[in-house]
Amino acid sequence: PEYELLEARAALEVRHRGAHKGTAVPWMRERLGTEGAALLALGDDDTDEDTFAALGPGDLGVLVSATAPTTRASARLDGEREVHTFLRWLARARRQGRGEGEPATLRGRAVPSRGDRLV
């Protein structure tokens, strides 16, 4: 009774009823000392919605799906190719200390301006 079975694509997912991906957000902030940093969370299924809901206003939640109708994420990418493009852009922007425009594939909210403090 203390565990629950979740629906997942091509997986069997079991978790403790008191834990979900959203509870990881404050845990990560505490463990990593990321106070003041923006968190970036990318996810592609229903279990990631807990994470998106736990993010703060300065964080960026990105749903990776071209078809999911609703989400708590603040932005979307259509698929793996777009994720790769976005992450390459983000790495380049961090190395150069600035982002030259947003990647065309990111739909929704802007990338947090504190790119140097993005976890």
Side-chain angles (χ1 to χ4, degrees):
E2 62 193 81
Y3 295 96
E4 63 183 324
L5 179 63
L6 303 174
E7 290 187 31
R9 281 183 288 165
L12 177 63
E13 194 163 337
V14 178
R15 72 178 179 199
H16 192 276
R17 289 192 187 277
H20 54 76
K21 291 180 181 181
T23 61
V25 172
W27 181 87
M28 281 181 42
R29 285 195 193 281
E30 181 182 321
R31 292 267 192 213
L32 299 174
T34 59
E35 189 65 37
L39 293 181
L40 168 63
L42 293 107
D44 66 351
D45 68 29
D46 288 341
T47 64
D48 297 308
E49 291 297 321
D50 294 326
T51 304
F52 301 147
L55 295 174
D59 299 328
L60 180 62
V62 180
L63 176 67
V64 181
S65 174
T67 59
T70 60
T71 184
R72 292 178 173 175
S74 53
R76 285 179 183 257
L77 293 169
D78 287 339
E80 288 181 32
R81 183 174 301 193
E82 290 77 13
V83 170
H84 293 177
T85 299
F86 172 67
L87 293 176
R88 279 193 298 274
W89 173 87
L90 184 59
R92 191 170 48 253
R94 290 182 70 163
R95 275 195 311 274
Q96 297 171 352
R98 67 189 190 292
E100 297 177 8
E102 288 187 47
T105 56
L106 184 65
R107 294 181 284 132
R109 219 187 91 220
V111 176
S113 60
R114 303 178 310 248
D116 60 326
R117 298 278 299 148
L118 185 65
V119 176

